Amino acid sequence: MKIFSGSSNKPLAEKLANHLNLQLSPIEIFVFPDGERRIRIETSVIEEDTVLVQPTASPVDQNYMELFFIADGLKRSGAKSITVVIPYLGYQRQDHVFRDGEAVSLEVIVNALQSVKIDKVIAFDFHTVKTPEIFSIPVTHLSALPLFAKSIREIGIENSVLVSPDMGGLRRIKIISEILGNIPWIATVKDRDLATGAIEIKNIEGELPANTKRAFIVDDMASSGGTLIESAKLLNKNGVDEVYAFVTHAIFSENAPKLLEESSIKKVFVTDTVFIPKEKVFSKLEVLSVAEMTANELSEK
Ligand code: R5P
């Protein structure tokens, strides 16, 4: 097996290679002055099983183009198989037409991925459980929930409640509740203005158990941070002192790190599915790695 990395999350690719007792294989990514990229696979991959690591968070389009070109380079160089580890799959939230006239971006992306002859995709915590069904190639859908459950246990599950910040996350919250021995869960009800993106967390769905001291909000991603912050505010208003956030994908756009740091949330746990640059690191942030889990999946084959 040979493992390659695009430029979107080399630290994760290196960790993964390490777990597999491999070195990253060399690849040339040349950027022309106009921003176009030329990809060259610098090692023989003839009849090799190859793995490419390339999450597609910001810069989303650039990361996708790189992924397509590397996959094409691998195929043309004779790779036997190409497994693409896309820990975070960009454009997955636009998975259907929300308002007349909209494109279904996820479907376009899936078609493009399949057109470059990828054999398999490994990804973490899709926005919806139905995402793999859009692909006609095998997709392994892994989850950071077991990692989160471990940290939640360490913080303490007594007088605690799990919270889905919106109704879309109910499946996720039920799974983690089960991992933690069926501890109570609730949801906050979110409304997002599709035109402006403004978030309103309206009320709590379900019963907040009496004497709840601590809440763990669990979500798939944080972008502006608004969902977590507004959900935490509502929990505080309802008498919950300590609120922790657990999100798989640290998309962190706009001022999210600053807003999360200044919020009432005690600690924000994320994973390394997306590379977090130094300027987006803040003191309340804790990063858990998905490298070992990914390595286990790859070594099973
Ligand atoms: C949306 O339904 C997702 O599950 C997340 O809740 C959302 O993408 C978070 O976005 P933001 O951080 O901008 O509120």
Side-chain angles (χ1 to χ4, degrees), residues 2 4 41 43-48 50 73-74 77-80:
K2 286 197 172 168
F4 296 83
I41 309 300
T43 182
S44 169
V45 290
I46 295 170
E47 283 308 303
E48 288 272 3
T50 61
L74 290 170
S77 307
K80 183 163 100 193

Side-chain angles (χ1 to χ4, degrees), residues 132-203:
E133 292 171 21
I134 301 176
F135 288 82
S136 40
I137 55 172
V139 176
T140 300
H141 184 192
L142 300 177
S143 174
L145 292 179
L147 295 178
F148 292 167
K150 189 166 173 272
S151 299
I152 289 175
R153 233 183 250 290
E154 282 163 11
I155 296 168
I157 54 173
E158 250 169 58
N159 297 323
S160 298
V161 69
L162 295 167
V163 182
S164 171
D166 53 37
M167 301 312 278
L170 284 184
R171 200 193 121 268
R172 204 171 292 125
I173 218 73
K174 288 179 192 167
I175 293 173
I176 191 161
S177 161
E178 214 178 302
I179 301 176
L180 289 165
N182 294 311
I183 71 168
W185 57 267
I186 54 165
T188 54
V189 182
K190 177 170 85 176
D191 203 20
R192 189 191 286 268
D193 184 318
L194 285 179
T196 65
I199 290 159
E200 196 192 346
I201 299 276
K202 290 177 157 168
N203 52 288

Side-chain angles (χ1 to χ4, degrees), residues 88 93 127 165-169 172 190 192 197 199 218-229 247 251-254 256 260:
Y88 171 73
R93 280 170 288 184
H127 185 55
D166 53 37
M167 301 312 278
R172 204 171 292 125
K190 177 170 85 176
R192 189 191 286 268
I199 290 159
V218 182
D219 207 358
D220 56 341
M221 63 185 91
S223 177
S224 67
T227 301
L228 295 176
I229 294 166
V247 291
I251 306 300
F252 290 169
S253 44
E254 304 157 29
L260 287 165

Side-chain angles (χ1 to χ4, degrees), residues 212-215 235-236 238-243 264 266:
T212 300
K213 294 204 167 56
R214 209 178 287 121
L235 291 162
N236 294 148
N238 280 272
V240 183
D241 293 337
E242 283 181 30
V243 179
S264 66
K266 272 189 86 83

Side-chain angles (χ1 to χ4, degrees), residues 24 35 48 53 98 120-121 144-145 149 162 221 299:
L24 288 182
E48 288 272 3
V53 182
F98 293 87
K120 184 180 169 181
V121 170
L145 292 179
L162 295 167
M221 63 185 91
S299 28

Side-chain angles (χ1 to χ4, degrees), residues 1-29:
M1 184 195 287
K2 286 197 172 168
I3 177 161
F4 296 83
S5 179
S7 49
S8 76
N9 195 346
K10 228 167 175 185
L12 174 64
E14 269 156 5
K15 269 192 194 159
L16 175 58
N18 217 18
H19 280 289
L20 294 165
N21 290 321
L22 294 171
Q23 300 265 327
L24 288 182
S25 289
I27 188 168
E28 182 194 77
I29 302 176

